Amino acid sequence: MIDKIMASPNRALITLLSALMLAIIHQYLFYGKEPGVSYPIFVILFYGFMFLFARDRIRPLTMINAFVAGVVLMLALTFLLYDNKPLRILNFLVVPGLIILHMTYLVGRKQRQWWNIGLIGTALDHMLPQSIRHWGTVASIVVKTGGRGLGKTKKTVAFKVFIGLIASVPILIVVVALLSSADGIFNQYLSGFPEWLNQLTLTPGLPRVIWILIAGVLLFSYVWGFVQPLQYEAEKRENAHWKNGAASAVIPRDHTLEAPPVNPIVEGKVTNQITAEVPPYTQAHRKPFKLDPIIVGTMLLVINCVYVLFVLVQFSYLFGAGEGHLPSDLSYAEYARSGFVELILVTGINFFILIIALQFTRSSGKIGSIVHQVLLFVLVGCSAIMLYSAFIRLNLYEQAYGYTYIRFLVHAFMIFLALLLLIAALRIRYTSIPLIRWYIVLSLTAYVTVNYVGMDKRIAELNIARYHQTGIIDASYLASLSADAVPLLREFAQREYPNLKREMLDRQANFDLGEAESSWTSFNTARHRAKLELSKWRME
C-alpha cells in the first residue's frame, strides 16, 4: 500500500489530502483548547505522516534516532502527566524545535551528522525556503485536480487567473485605502463592509476552516520540501567542481576515506536524491583552522594564575561557610548574594575556553601535550571550586529564604555544569572522547530529567523540611505551586499546618472552572488528581 502511494503519479495529491486530514485533527485537538493528552497524540501522528510520505528519503535508522525520538515523546507526555507552567511553556517551544532538527537529520536534503552545527542551517532552509516554494505547488495541484475535464490551454488560463487573484489582493488593499481617504462618499459605501465581515468571521465553523486550510498548506509544503527539495545554483557548481576535480586529480585510493558518489544533477530539474555532505577534495583543499598551542598555553597560564589566587583567598571561609564560619562582616544572606552570579558567569566562560582549547588547538609534541593537559586540569579544578562556592552560597540563601522555582532550576543548572566539567576532565585525559556529542546527549538527558523530577513536589518537600527545622514557611507560595504538589500539601496541612487548608481550598474553584471548560483533549493527570484531592478535602 505504501509502495503504491510512493510510485503513484497522484502522490502529491494524496499527500495534500492527508495533510488536510491531519490539519482537521490538529484543529480538533488544539483550537480553543489547552494542550493536554492532545499534544503527544499529535506528535505521534505527525511522525507517522512524515515517515509515510517521505519514506523514500529516510536515512538508515541508528541509536541516536531512537534516542531523539524518545526525548521528543517523553517531553510531549509531560503535557499529560505534569502541570508545571514554566516547563509547559518551554516545552511548547522545545518539542517543535527538536522535531524539526530530527526530521532534517532523518530526511533532509543534506546528510549532515547530528552533531554538526550546519544541521541548524539545513533545518531553517527546509522550514522556510524549501517549504515556501511549495505553496505554489498546492495551487498547482488544486488547479490540476479541479480542471481534469479541461484542456491544457484552459488549465493554464485557470492557473494564471488564480495567481492573478492572489497577486491582486495586496494591491487592492492599498488602493482601496487610498481611495477611501480621497473620497468621503466612496468611504461611506464601504463603511458597511467591515460590519458584514465581522458577522462573517463570527459564523460558526469559519475560523476552523481557515485554521484547517492554513495548517494543511503548511504541513504539505513542509513534507514536500523534503520530497522535492530545491538544489541551489552554488551547490550545483560545487558538485560540478568536485566531479571535475575528482576526474582530473590522481588520488591514492584509500577506502577508509572514500565518500559515497554525489548524485547527478539535471539542469532545470529538482533532484529527489539526497545530497551527501562531501567537501570538494582537491589539491588546494584547506585544512581545518587550529589555534597555535603556544598562544593557547600562554592564555591558560595567565588565566590559571588569577583563578588559583582567587581559590586560595576563598579557602579561608569557603568550606566553613556551611557550618556557619563566615567572614565577620557578612551575614548569611549577604554571603549568599555576594558574587553568586559572577561565579556562574565565570564558570560559563571557562567552559567556552575549555571547548576552544580541546577542539581547536594543534598538537605540540609529547612534552607540549603534557603541559597543555596540566593547564587544562588546573582550569577544570578551579572551575569546580568556583562552582562549589556558588552551590554553597545558594544553599545558604535557600535556608534563609526558602525554596522557589528559580532557585531549584539554578541548583539543577549547577549540577549540570558539574557533569559537563567531569566530561571535560575525561576528555583532557582521553583525547578520543567526542566532546560535543557527549555534551549534546547529556544536555537532552538533563532537560528530560528536570521535566520528570517533579519540581513542584520537590520544592514543597524542601520547604516542609525547612519548616521542621526553623518553624518558618510561606503558605501563600506553597498554595501557588502547580497541581503536581497538591496531594503532598493536603497531607501536610491535615497533619501539621491547618492554616494551609483555606488557601488550598480557594484553588478548587479554579480547577472546577478549568475542568468545566475543557474537553478530553486537555486532560491532565496531575490536574485531575488535584481536583479529586481538593474535592475530598471539602467533603470532610
Side-chain angles (χ1 to χ4, degrees), residues 416-431:
F416 172 66
L417 288 180
L419 293 175
L420 293 182
L421 277 177
L422 177 60
I423 293 176
L426 293 174
R427 171 63 174 78
I428 295 171
R429 176 63 181 85
Y430 304 101
T431 56

Side-chain angles (χ1 to χ4, degrees), residues 89-378:
I89 295 173
L90 192 58
N91 289 339
F92 199 81
L93 302 174
V94 171
V95 173
L98 285 176
I99 292 175
I100 290 171
L101 290 174
H102 193 199
M103 290 297 105
T104 304
Y105 174 71
L106 276 175
V107 293
R109 65 188 185 87
K110 289 185 176 181
Q111 287 190 337
R112 295 191 183 276
Q113 299 293 349
W114 57 269
W115 62 85
N116 192 326
I117 190 65
L119 185 67
I120 298 176
T122 306
L124 293 174
D125 178 57
H126 275 288
M127 190 171 64
L128 294 174
Q130 298 288 350
S131 297
I132 292 173
R133 63 180 288 267
H134 282 297
W135 292 356
T137 306
V138 176
S140 178
I141 295 172
V142 172
V143 171
K144 181 179 178 181
T145 305
R148 289 185 183 274
L150 301 177
K152 184 176 181 180
T153 304
K154 292 183 178 180
K155 288 182 180 180
T156 304
V157 171
F159 180 74
K160 292 180 178 179
V161 170
F162 181 76
I163 297 297
L165 290 174
I166 295 176
S168 63
V169 170
I171 300 175
L172 282 175
I173 292 174
V174 176
V175 169
V176 169
L178 293 174
L179 291 177
S180 299
S181 300
D183 191 292
I185 297 177
F186 182 72
N187 186 38
Q188 289 180 359
Y189 276 107
L190 294 179
S191 62
F193 179 74
E195 297 179 2
W196 173 79
L197 184 62
N198 289 335
Q199 294 176 358
L200 180 63
T201 56
L202 294 176
T203 302
L206 181 62
R208 292 180 179 271
V209 172
I210 297 174
W211 182 301
I212 291 170
L213 292 177
I214 294 176
V217 170
L218 293 178
L219 288 169
F220 170 81
S221 60
Y222 184 69
V223 69
W224 212 244
F226 289 106
V227 175
Q228 291 188 355
L230 173 68
Q231 190 174 33
Y232 300 107
E233 291 297 328
E235 294 174 349
K236 293 180 182 180
R237 290 194 297 269
E238 182 179 306
N239 288 332
H241 176 69
W242 149 246
K243 287 190 292 185
N244 293 335
S248 59
V250 179
I251 303 175
R253 295 186 63 83
D254 185 352
H255 294 284
T256 62
L257 298 177
E258 285 189 359
V262 179
N263 300 309
I265 304 298
V266 181
E267 187 69 29
K269 294 185 179 180
V270 176
T271 178
N272 192 31
Q273 302 296 323
I274 299 176
T275 303
E277 187 189 11
V278 181
Y281 189 92
T282 63
Q283 294 177 349
H285 179 62
R286 297 177 59 185
K287 295 181 180 180
F289 175 75
K290 293 286 186 178
L291 295 173
D292 185 84
I294 298 178
I295 297 176
V296 175
T298 304
M299 294 175 61
L300 289 175
L301 180 62
V302 174
I303 294 172
N304 284 341
C305 288
V306 177
Y307 286 165
V308 169
L309 178 61
F310 176 82
V311 169
L312 291 176
V313 173
Q314 290 278 296
F315 262 103
S316 61
Y317 58 90
L318 174 62
F319 295 102
E323 302 173 1
H325 305 304
L326 299 177
S328 57
D329 59 338
L330 289 180
S331 65
Y332 276 93
E334 291 171 340
Y335 173 81
R337 285 195 299 266
S338 61
F340 171 77
V341 176
E342 289 81 356
L343 288 174
I344 295 296
L345 290 177
V346 169
T347 305
I349 293 173
N350 290 349
F351 273 112
F352 177 75
I353 296 173
L354 279 170
I355 293 175
I356 296 298
L358 289 172
Q359 297 290 111
F360 303 103
T361 304
R362 294 198 306 266
S363 59
S364 57
K366 185 176 181 180
I367 297 178
S369 297
I370 294 175
V371 173
H372 187 71
Q373 288 182 350
V374 171
L375 291 174
L376 288 176
F377 274 123
V378 173

